[in-house]
Amino acid sequence: FLMVDLKSGKAVAPRPPDERTYPASTTKIMTALVAAEHITDYSETFKMTLEITDKMYLAEATAAGFLKDEPVTMTDLLYGTILPSGGDAALGLAYKIAGSEEAFAELMNEKARQLGLSNTHFTNVTGLFDKNHYTTAADLAVILKAAMDNPVCRQVLSTHPYTTAKTE
């Protein structure tokens, strides 16, 4: 872990800040940041697919609980990605914005390069294990700061309870 004083930018309690580690669900912070930078209409919907729900079920991954064929707004997908750490919501964002998880992961890697992160590489949007999916505590601190500097991400990351729109 790494604690950073956001005012000074200095590490307060570093534990090898540049050691590569598996980011797990903290991946979804970058997923949300990249999504927020690409969404132009937050009321636009994505129709949840069986491909996504089955993938999360088979991986025994955390899901927001959206159902097959359910139309989900971009806003609800963002909150679903962060609050319950929903892999289904993260994948919905990836498919809607980039057409595939792989293409969205490339957007995440592009954002990492823009942020000057040299020890971070994403292969997916959910944080499911992959040996080529990694970051460091120092890089994660930069990602979190960038997310908090984005007004949409700051709102999502700062929200505790959230209720999605009603569906059938």
Side-chain angles (χ1 to χ4, degrees):
F1 81 96
L2 177 70
M3 288 178 54
V4 176
D5 179 333
L6 292 179
K7 289 182 182 176
S8 70
K10 294 184 180 184
V12 178
R15 178 182 166 223
D18 296 318
E19 181 181 322
R20 284 186 180 177
T21 187
Y22 164 59
S25 282
T26 60
T27 297
K28 293 181 184 100
I29 298 169
M30 181 65 104
T31 302
L33 174 60
V34 171
E37 292 179 347
H38 285 83
I39 295 170
T40 56
D41 180 357
Y42 287 86
S43 64
E44 192 172 350
T45 61
F46 171 77
K47 192 177 207 179
M48 192 52 63
T49 69
L50 192 58
E51 175 186 2
I52 289 173
T53 58
D54 280 358
K55 180 176 182 174
M56 293 298 93
Y57 177 78
L58 292 172
E60 297 181 0
T62 305
F66 297 116
L67 302 175
K68 175 186 169 279
D69 295 331
E70 183 174 2
V72 186
T73 67
M74 296 295 98
T75 298
D76 287 349
L77 288 175
L78 273 173
Y79 279 98
T81 296
I82 296 300
L83 291 178
S85 192
D88 53 347
L91 284 167
L93 288 169
Y95 282 52
K96 181 68 174 184
I97 292 167
S100 71
E101 182 175 22
E102 295 77 16
F104 194 92
E106 281 309 310
L107 293 175
M108 294 167 68
N109 289 321
E110 181 180 314
K111 182 64 180 177
R113 287 188 293 276
Q114 289 171 1
L115 293 172
L117 309 180
S118 58
N119 286 311
T120 294
H121 184 262
F122 297 103
T123 60
N124 64 68
V125 300
T126 61
L128 292 177
F129 180 78
D130 182 302
K131 67 180 180 178
N132 294 313
H133 189 88
Y134 56 83
T135 193
T136 66
D139 283 4
L140 188 55
V142 172
I143 293 168
L144 186 54
K145 181 176 183 328
M148 292 304 284
D149 287 344
N150 178 291
V152 172
C153 278
R154 182 176 53 250
Q155 176 65 39
V156 172
L157 290 166
S158 301
T159 298
H160 180 62
Y162 178 79
T163 302
T164 63
K166 291 182 180 181
T167 65
E168 292 180 20

